[in-house]
Amino acid sequence: MSEFLQELGYSVTSYRLLAAGAFFLWFASAIKGWNPAGNTFARINRSWAYCATLLIAMFAWRWPAIFHYKPVNPDEAQFLAGALTMLARGQLWWIDPTTSGPLVVLPLTLPRLVGFPVDFASGRIVGLLLEWGTVVCGYLTLRHLHGDQKGRLLVTPLACFMIFLWFWDFVPYCSELSPLFLCALAAWLGVTAFQPDGTIFRRGRLAACGVVLGAIPFSKLQVLPLSAAIGVSLVVWILWQPVRNGKIIGRNLLWLVGGVVLGTGSLLVSVWCSGQWNEVYQSYIVHNLHYAEARGLPWSDSGYLLNYLTNFSWGFSSYHYGALLLLALGLPAIRRASWRPLVLGFSLLIAAYGAILVPGRLYPHYLLFLTLPLSLSVGLLWGYLLVGQTRRYCTVAIALFLAVGIVSQLVNRVADRNSLHRLIAPTNPRDPVDQFINHNKKPGDSLAVWGWRPEFYVETQLPQATHEAHTEAQLNNHFQRDYFRARFVADLRENRPAFFIDSVGPADFQLKEPTLQGHETFPDLRDLIDRDYSEIKISGSFHLYLRRDRADSRN
């Protein structure tokens, strides 16, 4: 870490003092609780103060990885490129973020709306805010069921995980953050629509929960098991209310189902009006189903997959195993617990493990789906475990809870010795191409990239001329390849980007064989580039082309 911070011109000691101070400020807010008759800190330590100190602590521990420029995950650049394109075209549905939906990309447009650029730093700040919002929703859910003081304590394992994030696949903006936040929001809205005894007293929140659940499929289809777990749990809650009145039960169901229909229906109407219905169906629905069917590992390797991801991802093992231990220690509370919250908590937990295992792929960022369900299940159980116990019992139990849920994570983070070479920026091989484009670009220009280097869009701040930011779908041998190839060429003909880059080669992310994967291997694309573009000789393995009319004007 010392080399990493020194490259930023910042000392390790200063960083640790700042991070430790922010952590203990948040921790004091978590364990002290609000007391209008207490000292000054107790009087101002309201819920907003707890949430604010949490945000400060998350930022204090993570800021080096936010602001130190280097793309560390190719998906991050893809989503940022989509946001740039979404803003340039003013359309929600035109972009194709491959296995994700437009609601994953949409939050990344927020920095531009408040005057900041859409780049790697702003994208990571958006990711931090979504993670913060997930923790806050978890806290508010537990507070509703177990009270404010317990809510703050019970959410600490999740809060600490988000504070101590450092792993290179968790810090960048990834496709799990938006759907995870939407699930946390839906759970909070749904739970707080009911009284602790199971009676409904806020139908508006029930409808709002339905709207969020209806929108979740347009963020990432992989998260559908989690949204289904929330929706089915709430239906069970409604059907088995303490007061069995058929009319009331029917109305409550209509509020929830009506919200789902409104959320899903509004977005479907939006797709239809955009004229992108076929493109969304082909690239999001059909392509995702094919992706899910083509598992990377068989189901028999699920144990290996989960164990590998847990131990490979820095800091996750201390959170995961600690939370599982807390879950086991809290099981005796089932005898005194209300069954309703446990139905939600455990169904969410099972759904989260399913969402991680279904693709059968070794992608660490899938583990983020597990964070909220696991902590929520633990918090629900331990909240009931502390009910009606003596003061001494509660003190010992809370100390054990914090030791297992927090101390293990803190020790793991402070003693972390993992290499940070992925975050220390080497010479950027794209620099010569970026410099040429940035020097010659004009307002209204766009860019197309053949290969898997969406970083070009972010580094030049140019929108996509094609639906997708990389061309994996055009190069992999699958039944939709001809569709994606035809769409790519059609996009080039319609949008006539000023710049075209063939990134296939040694410096590409995955597509490294020009003779097998270069744009010349696709005759229609080769003919279009030969006719309408001139190659610009740039050092390196990238091939840069400038539209012929622009090239002629430079001569």
Side-chain angles (χ1 to χ4, degrees):
M1 185 174 68
S2 59
E3 293 179 2
F4 179 49
L5 289 168
Q6 286 167 9
E7 189 167 322
L8 294 172
Y10 205 78
S11 74
V12 178
T13 302
S14 298
Y15 166 74
R16 286 179 173 171
L17 287 175
L18 174 65
F23 173 79
F24 286 112
L25 177 64
W26 162 77
F27 187 66
S29 179
I31 64 173
K32 185 69 175 177
W34 174 61
N35 183 1
N39 58 27
T40 303
F41 181 80
R43 291 197 301 272
I44 65 172
N45 191 24
R46 294 178 178 270
S47 294
W48 65 264
Y50 170 78
C51 297
T53 55
L54 171 63
L55 182 60
I56 292 170
M58 290 174 65
F59 182 80
W61 282 81
R62 205 185 307 182
W63 68 265
I66 289 175
F67 293 112
H68 186 54
Y69 171 78
K70 186 200 173 186
V72 293
N73 184 316
D75 291 346
E76 179 183 34
Q78 174 192 346
F79 299 134
L80 290 166
L84 288 166
T85 309
M86 192 178 285
L87 288 164
R89 299 183 68 93
Q91 297 180 12
L92 180 66
W93 300 100
W94 192 82
I95 62 164
D96 174 11
T98 58
T99 59
S100 302
L103 295 188
V104 166
V105 176
L106 186 61
L108 291 171
T109 64
L110 295 177
R112 178 72 64 81
L113 300 180
V114 294
F116 292 100
V118 176
D119 57 17
F120 294 102
S122 65
R124 292 167 190 175
I125 290 176
V126 171
L128 184 149
L129 291 174
L130 288 171
E131 290 161 345
W132 173 72
T134 298
V135 179
V136 169
C137 287
Y139 151 63
L140 294 175
T141 302
L142 292 171
R143 183 182 73 168
H144 178 74
L145 295 169
H146 297 306
D148 182 71
Q149 182 60 77
K150 287 183 182 178
R152 298 185 191 204
L153 288 170
L154 297 173
V155 83
T156 50
L158 176 61
C160 282
F161 176 76
M162 295 301 184
I163 289 171
F164 297 144
L165 272 188
W166 190 250
F167 180 53
W168 56 265
D169 213 26
F170 292 164
V171 172
Y173 188 89
C174 58
S175 58
E176 288 72 25
L177 300 182
S178 175
L180 183 66
F181 168 71
L182 291 175
C183 286
L185 180 62
W188 168 63
L189 288 169
V191 170
T192 55
F194 293 79
Q195 296 275 19
D197 65 357
T199 57
I200 293 178
F201 73 114
R202 289 177 175 172
R203 285 175 172 168
R205 289 201 179 185
L206 200 60
C209 172
V211 171
V212 176
L213 291 175
I216 285 176
F218 301 94
S219 61
K220 193 174 178 72
L221 291 180
Q222 190 180 350
V223 82
L224 283 179
L226 278 76
S227 61
I230 297 171
V232 171
S233 296
L234 293 178
V235 169
V236 172
W237 287 23
I238 292 171
L239 293 176
W240 275 271
Q241 290 181 65
V243 179
R244 303 299 300 275
N245 184 304
K247 290 184 177 179
I248 294 177
I249 290 174
R251 289 172 185 169
N252 293 335
L253 281 174
L254 282 176
W255 279 83
L256 177 63
V257 174
V260 173
V261 172
L262 178 62
T264 303
S266 299
L267 290 173
L268 288 176
V269 169
S270 175
V271 177
W272 185 268
C273 294
S274 71
Q276 298 293 314
W277 182 269
N278 182 62
E279 284 72 19
V280 172
Y281 172 74
Q282 292 289 344
S283 61
Y284 188 49
I285 305 299
V286 177
H287 190 56
N288 262 288
L289 291 175
H290 170 71
Y291 180 82
E293 291 173 359
R295 290 178 53 85
L297 292 173
W299 279 103
S300 58
D301 286 338
S302 294
Y304 161 77
L305 186 152
L306 191 61
N307 182 66
Y308 171 84
L309 292 179
T310 296
N311 292 290
F312 177 76
S313 308
W314 310 343
F316 194 81
S317 59
S318 58
Y319 166 74
H320 190 189
Y321 296 138
L324 287 176
L325 177 57
L326 289 175
L327 190 69
L329 293 173
L331 287 178
I334 290 178
R335 293 174 298 176
R336 67 180 69 174
S338 171
W339 63 268
R340 291 178 178 83
L342 297 187
V343 166
L344 173 63
F346 284 111
S347 61
L348 260 178
L349 185 58
I350 294 169
Y353 279 112
I356 294 169
L357 296 175
V358 164
R361 289 173 170 83
L362 299 174
Y363 297 158
H365 47 84
Y366 287 171
L367 292 175
L368 292 172
F369 282 138
L370 185 58
T371 54
L372 174 73
L374 186 53
S375 289
L376 202 59
S377 299
V378 169
L380 290 170
L381 275 177
W382 276 74
Y384 291 114
L385 190 67
L386 299 174
V387 173
Q389 302 291 353
T390 64
R391 184 182 183 89
R392 182 177 181 180
Y393 178 95
C394 290
T395 301
V396 173
I398 290 171
L400 176 63
F401 181 88
L402 295 177
V404 176
I406 293 182
V407 175
S408 58
Q409 292 193 66
L410 179 60
V411 170
N412 183 76
R413 179 64 175 83
V414 172
D416 181 58
R417 293 293 182 269
N418 286 294
S419 169
L420 297 176
H421 69 278
R422 290 178 179 270
L423 295 177
I424 298 177
T427 301
N428 184 355
R430 298 179 298 279
D431 277 345
V433 178
D434 292 335
Q435 290 171 9
F436 179 89
I437 294 177
N438 286 325
H439 180 72
N440 291 278
K441 68 183 180 182
K442 297 179 181 179
D445 279 350
S446 60
L447 168 67
V449 178
W450 180 264
W452 199 327
R453 275 298 171 206
E455 293 88 347
F456 280 116
Y457 296 105
V458 187
E459 291 159 354
T460 63
Q461 292 288 288
L462 289 179
Q464 302 165 199
T466 57
H467 280 74
E468 55 280 285
H470 62 71
T471 57
E472 179 196 27
Q474 286 82 358
L475 288 166
N476 284 348
N477 189 17
H478 61 98
F479 73 98
Q480 283 187 295
R481 188 176 71 168
D482 290 343
Y483 164 78
F484 285 112
R485 286 191 166 195
R487 188 175 73 173
F488 189 89
V489 172
D491 286 343
L492 292 182
R493 288 172 177 159
E494 179 181 353
N495 297 315
R496 302 187 70 244
F499 306 95
F500 175 85
I501 300 171
D502 186 339
S503 71
V504 175
D508 194 87
F509 170 58
Q510 280 191 341
L511 308 172
K512 299 181 182 294
E513 299 294 337
T515 57
L516 300 176
Q517 300 166 320
H519 78 275
E520 296 90 350
T521 62
F522 178 18
D524 289 349
L525 178 59
R526 178 196 61 207
D527 294 344
L528 186 152
I529 298 301
D530 289 346
R531 183 184 69 246
D532 295 341
Y533 289 83
S534 297
E535 184 170 4
I536 305 297
K537 299 300 181 181
I538 298 289
S539 61
S541 64
F542 300 112
H543 295 274
L544 171 64
Y545 298 83
L546 182 63
R547 203 174 63 220
R548 198 171 296 279
D549 62 308
R550 292 281 288 273
D552 294 341
S553 67
R554 294 181 67 245
N555 298 328

